């Protein structure tokens, strides 16, 4: 058991030291092909983020043709609030 704990600790330290994480960007980051921290409709509909694709116009609050993480968070929180669920920061 101590060996397992030591291995897990070593792996965690290695990940922290290199700045890596299990999912650094999630689906949003992997769909953001040009890495501009926003998804165009083409990027959203390319297959990795079908829910964003489906609701793209509603999520794009400022109607600039791109969805940012903050717009996505605001959209999700509005949906949560409409269902009387707590919003996430």
């Amino acid at each position: 058991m101590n060996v397992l704990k030591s291995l897990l600790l070593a792996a965690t330290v290695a990940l922290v030291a290199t700045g890596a994480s299990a999912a650094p960007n999630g689906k949003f980051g992997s769909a953001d092909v040009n890495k501009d921290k926003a998804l165009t409709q083409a990027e959203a509909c390319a297959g990795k983020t079908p829910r964003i694709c489906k609701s793209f116009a509603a999520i794009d609050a400022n109607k600039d043709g791109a969805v940012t993480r903050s717009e996505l968070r605001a959209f999700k929180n509005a949906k949560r609030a409409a269902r009387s669920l707590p919003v996430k920061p």
Side-chain angles (χ1 to χ4, degrees):
M1 187 65 162
N2 284 338
V3 173
L4 180 60
K5 284 182 182 179
S6 296
L7 287 173
L8 287 174
L9 179 61
T12 302
V13 168
L15 285 173
V16 170
T18 60
S21 67
N25 295 313
K27 290 181 183 179
F28 189 100
S30 63
D32 184 15
V33 176
N34 62 359
K35 304 301 179 204
D36 64 349
K37 299 188 185 209
L39 295 181
T40 62
Q41 190 159 12
E43 288 173 324
C45 296
K48 295 179 182 173
T49 54
R51 290 182 182 170
I52 295 174
C53 179
K54 181 179 174 185
S55 303
F56 190 88
I59 299 170
D60 184 14
N62 62 0
K63 306 300 180 208
D64 66 349
V67 169
T68 62
R69 289 179 190 267
S70 62
E71 287 175 318
L72 181 58
R73 186 179 317 111
F75 177 77
K76 287 180 176 181
N77 280 334
K79 290 189 71 120
R80 289 180 66 80
R83 296 184 309 197
S84 299
L85 297 171
V87 296
K88 295 183 178 179

